Amino acid sequence: MARILSKEQLSADVYRMRLDAPDIARSRRAGQFVIVMADDRYAERIPLTIADADEASGSISIIFQAVGGSTRELASLGEGDEVAHLLGPLGTPTHVERFAGPEGTPGRVVCVGGGIGAAPLYPIVQAHKAAGNRVTVILGARNAGLLILEDAMRAVADEVIVCTDDGSAGRKDLVTAPLRELCSATGAERPAEAIAIGPPVMMKFCAETTRSFGIHTVASLNTIMVDGTGMCGGCRVTVGGKTKFVCVDGPEFDAHLVDWNSMIQ
Ligand code: FES
């Protein structure tokens, strides 16, 4: 069991909860996730990236969208309630290194977050900043009301570019448009690495965009999970022609090697 320390609504169906989980807060690293069961009555396990953690208070933050029975059940809980089961940290942490630009300048990392993908992206942005990289964030959403964590990203990243489908915030563009512009840059402006987290189609097209520029790109996959420990096979994907399990081999993979079409199907 884990007590809910606070809950806030970030957009129409998106919530952030802070959970009392001192062991996870102490040991988690960027890119890792937890599995939450809101209630014993619902057998469904919900894999959620640890969006933030605070060792001092022994708490972790999760961000989720209430879209089905289990996530709606989770959303119905409030401060002081308890989630029935919390398992983690799971998954392989994000590989973070300090990239060197020309003449010792910090290397540039471009982080792309689509919709609720901004939540798992946030700790990665923090980790790349802490490593000494220059971080550019591209946030995309259908409209301004669905954008999350923009202020939090602005507080950490060197720059933030916002794109919406309807132009209600930032540029009226797909995230791949500014990504292509950034990848076209040379010298210190050229990204050393790109990270894309969001809907599979968005990640696929981010990978296609960076591929032609030869920029190493990482995607965090969000397949269906059951046990989260490599036993059920529910989360398998094909990466570089080999079968991988997102829960133990991932969730992050080389985006240029992921078989996006089979994953989307
Ligand atoms: Fe079962 Fe990954 S969730 S193998």
Side-chain angles (χ1 to χ4, degrees):
M1 287 211 186
R3 195 158 49 88
I4 298 167
L5 302 173
S6 64
K7 173 190 170 188
E8 62 186 302
Q9 193 163 359
L10 300 182
S11 70
D13 292 317
V14 176
Y15 299 87
R16 171 163 47 202
M17 278 182 178
R18 209 157 54 81
L19 303 174
D20 183 33
D23 290 343
I24 299 175
R26 201 166 35 245
S27 57
R28 72 95 206 195
R29 287 167 59 197
Q32 291 188 296
F33 65 95
V34 289
I35 285 190
V36 180
M37 286 177 75
D39 192 300
D40 280 327
R41 287 173 302 158
Y42 283 87
E44 191 181 345
R45 296 149 158 248
I46 313 167
L48 295 167
T49 301
I50 303 164
D52 207 353
D54 179 22
E55 269 190 73
S57 64
S59 65
I60 63 165
S61 295
I62 54 171
I63 295 177
F64 62 95
Q65 190 165 20
V67 287
S70 300
T71 44
R72 288 209 177 91
E73 175 71 14
L74 183 59
S76 73
L77 301 178
E79 191 177 318
D81 292 335
E82 291 186 327
V83 298
H85 300 283
L86 179 67
L87 175 69
L90 299 168
T92 306
T94 304
H95 173 78
V96 176
E97 64 179 88
R98 184 186 186 279
F99 293 104
E103 297 167 10
T105 55
R108 189 180 208 181
V109 176
V110 178
C111 298
V112 187
I116 195 155
L121 192 68
Y122 180 64
I124 297 171
V125 171
Q126 287 179 309
H128 274 290
K129 271 309 291 178
N133 294 316
R134 175 183 168 195
V135 181
T136 299
V137 172
I138 304 173
L139 288 179
R142 288 204 309 278
N143 58 56
L146 298 176
L147 277 171
I148 60 166
L149 300 182
E150 181 183 346
D151 290 345
M153 292 290 193
R154 288 194 189 282
V156 179
D158 294 284
E159 55 198 323
V160 176
I161 300 166
V162 170
C163 296
T164 50
D165 293 356
D166 64 359
S168 53
R171 296 170 54 160
K172 185 179 180 184
D173 249 331
L174 298 174
V175 292
T176 45
L179 178 61
R180 179 174 299 280
E181 292 161 13
L182 293 168
C183 291
S184 307
T186 55
E189 298 298 302
R190 177 182 160 83
E193 183 168 89
I195 296 144
I197 311 182
V201 171
M202 184 211 86
M203 293 191 282
K204 172 185 171 178
F205 283 100
C206 285
E208 292 311 318
T209 302
T210 57
R211 189 194 305 274
S212 55
F213 295 95
I215 293 172
H216 181 249
T217 301
V218 173
S220 180
L221 306 187
N222 47 3
T223 51
I224 288 169
M225 289 191 194
V226 181
D227 65 312
T229 59
M231 302 293 284
C232 72
C235 65
R236 67 185 177 277
V237 289
T238 304
V239 181
K242 297 196 174 110
T243 298
K244 298 281 181 185
F245 296 129
V246 172
C247 66
V248 289
D249 299 318
E252 292 171 15
F253 296 96
D254 184 331
H256 295 157
L257 298 180
V258 173
D259 182 339
W260 291 105
N261 291 340
S262 74
M263 183 189 148
I264 290 166
Q265 279 167 16

